[in-house]
Amino acid sequence: QLMEITWYGLSCFRLTGRGQASIVTDPYDNSLGLPPLKLRGDVVTVSHDSPGHNNEAAVSGRKYALTGPGEYEIGGVFITGIATNENDHSLANLLFVFDFDGVTIAHLGDMAKVPTQTKIEALEQVDVLLLPVGGGNSLNAAQAAELVSMLEPRLVVPMHYSIPGLKAELDEVDRFLKEMGITPPEEEATIKVTASSVSEETSVVLLAPKIKS
């Protein structure tokens, strides 16, 4: 099963698999300085209720908006929403794990700190980790790198970092790449993943934000 991942900046991705529900994560609104989002998708997931993450109206064709923890099966995709950031004073947050017929993708939302062991266990089988790396209200470069070494996902896709036009105080992705000890890879337009195409070794893929200015 081939699936495709496209990034629109901040924490917004579109995940599509042939014959399966298409999913848009954390659509942002126009106050963030990036061009307005115009996306189609069957399912919208919202990690937390703030303008950088909850603009459901930007996604046409949406049939479901997932804003709470739970287990869902929609259009052939198994989706698990798990609350994080509890017991501290930061914003509530949900991480979502998507299973597209054997390819497992986790979107951590604005996870604020390296999670507890129970949450770690839910993430241990993840192929693709959509990982906040730019600080702000979420993981900074050092915390993000620590989480990668704990989880050993096959692909890491950094998100929630500084890009041109974005009005949010976030670090550049280079800081995370330094923590990981890797030279900046070329930016890809999209990622295509199958269960057999993800390597055993962890690799980091940088996506170019698909932004129509």
Side-chain angles (χ1 to χ4, degrees), residues 162-200:
S162 175
I163 57 173
L166 180 64
K167 293 181 195 157
E169 289 292 313
L170 297 174
D171 297 329
E172 304 277 339
V173 73
D174 294 3
R175 187 175 286 195
F176 169 70
L177 299 173
K178 269 202 194 79
E179 288 283 346
M180 292 288 293
I182 54 181
T183 48
E186 287 293 308
E187 290 189 337
E188 312 278 341
T190 61
I191 302 173
K192 293 184 168 63
V193 190
T194 63
S196 56
S197 73
V198 267
S199 67
E200 289 301 323

Side-chain angles (χ1 to χ4, degrees), residues 89-147:
H89 301 296
S90 49
L91 289 168
N93 180 63
L94 293 167
L95 71 84
F96 284 96
V97 179
F98 307 97
D99 186 340
F100 281 83
D101 205 11
V103 177
T104 309
I105 298 171
H107 183 285
L108 300 187
D110 254 15
M111 180 179 275
K113 58 183 184 197
V114 175
T116 59
Q117 197 53 43
T118 1
K119 304 281 186 314
I120 292 283
E121 280 160 19
L123 293 168
E124 272 177 341
Q125 301 307 313
V126 164
D127 296 311
V128 183
L129 187 64
L130 308 177
L131 175 69
V133 302
N137 292 325
S138 68
L139 298 175
N140 63 27
Q143 292 169 312
E146 181 188 344
L147 189 54

Side-chain angles (χ1 to χ4, degrees), residues 26-29 46 48-57:
D26 281 14
Y28 48 79
D29 79 6
V46 174
H48 63 290
D49 203 10
S50 81
H53 304 265
N54 66 358
N55 186 15
E56 296 166 25

Side-chain angles (χ1 to χ4, degrees), residues 8 12 24 26-30 34-39 55 57-59 210:
Y8 293 86
C12 182
V24 175
D26 281 14
Y28 48 79
D29 79 6
N30 302 348
L34 299 177
L37 282 174
K38 283 199 185 72
L39 294 174
N55 186 15
V59 184
K210 187 172 179 178

